[in-house]
Amino acid sequence: MRAIAALIALMLLAAPAQAGPGADLAAMAEPLRTEARARAEALFSRPGAAAEPLSADDPFIADVETFAAHTAYLGRLADAGGPPTDLGCIFRGMAQDAETRLSGLPAEASAADQARVYLAMARLFEHAGVIGPMLDDEQNENGGASAPPPSCPVIRDAG
């Protein structure tokens, strides 16, 4: 009984270290990855068909926009969190990629073209699930603030 209590206590102590904005991104990305992959598979089943129009009230659109905003926020958070790393640049790139792919979906000519975009989005969300928690790890290890790395092309283009 003491071993079980000790294990539960250890799990409760470890849980806060796992939580954070990066873990939130990973949790947000997983259902988006699943949905993007499902849409790609449905579209690939009829590759020669015309592209499907997107509905303005499609919850996937709103969820991707929320993902992009949260990821851009993580980019700023990463830059302020400690020694310069590439995480800020990576998060800003993911945000820009999500927005670009989402806005390009209506312009695709066929179902197969849209399916390829959804697959690329699914990969993006998969990467976000892996990279997001790295920010939490980095924040737990470092303190202070720093400037963004000067090599980040998203920073140079945004200015």
Side-chain angles (χ1 to χ4, degrees):
M1 190 59 115
R2 285 186 180 171
I4 293 173
L7 181 60
I8 290 172
L10 181 61
M11 289 171 39
L12 290 174
L13 290 174
Q18 299 296 324
D24 293 344
L25 180 70
M28 181 186 303
E30 180 55 27
L32 287 170
R33 183 194 65 77
T34 301
E35 178 65 18
R37 186 165 298 283
R39 288 179 182 215
E41 289 172 7
L43 290 164
F44 270 137
S45 70
R46 46 185 199 75
E52 290 185 0
L54 294 179
S55 172
D57 62 348
D58 183 344
F60 182 76
I61 293 171
D63 291 346
V64 172
E65 290 170 344
T66 300
F67 168 87
H70 187 70
T71 308
Y73 163 74
L74 291 184
R76 292 188 300 277
L77 193 62
D79 291 337
T85 67
D86 291 336
L87 282 178
C89 185
I90 290 167
F91 286 128
R92 280 186 297 283
M94 285 193 295
Q96 187 176 31
D97 189 27
E99 291 171 344
T100 299
R101 291 185 191 283
L102 184 62
S103 66
L105 266 171
E108 298 298 337
S110 71
D113 293 335
Q114 280 185 323
R116 283 188 279 281
V117 173
Y118 280 119
L119 280 180
M121 292 175 89
R123 283 190 301 275
L124 169 67
F125 301 136
E126 184 176 344
H127 294 158
V130 172
I131 295 169
M134 290 178 184
L135 176 64
D136 299 338
D137 294 342
E138 184 177 279
Q139 285 185 326
N140 289 334
E141 293 173 8
N142 301 315
S146 66
S151 63
C152 182
V154 177
I155 294 171
R156 284 197 310 263
D157 294 344

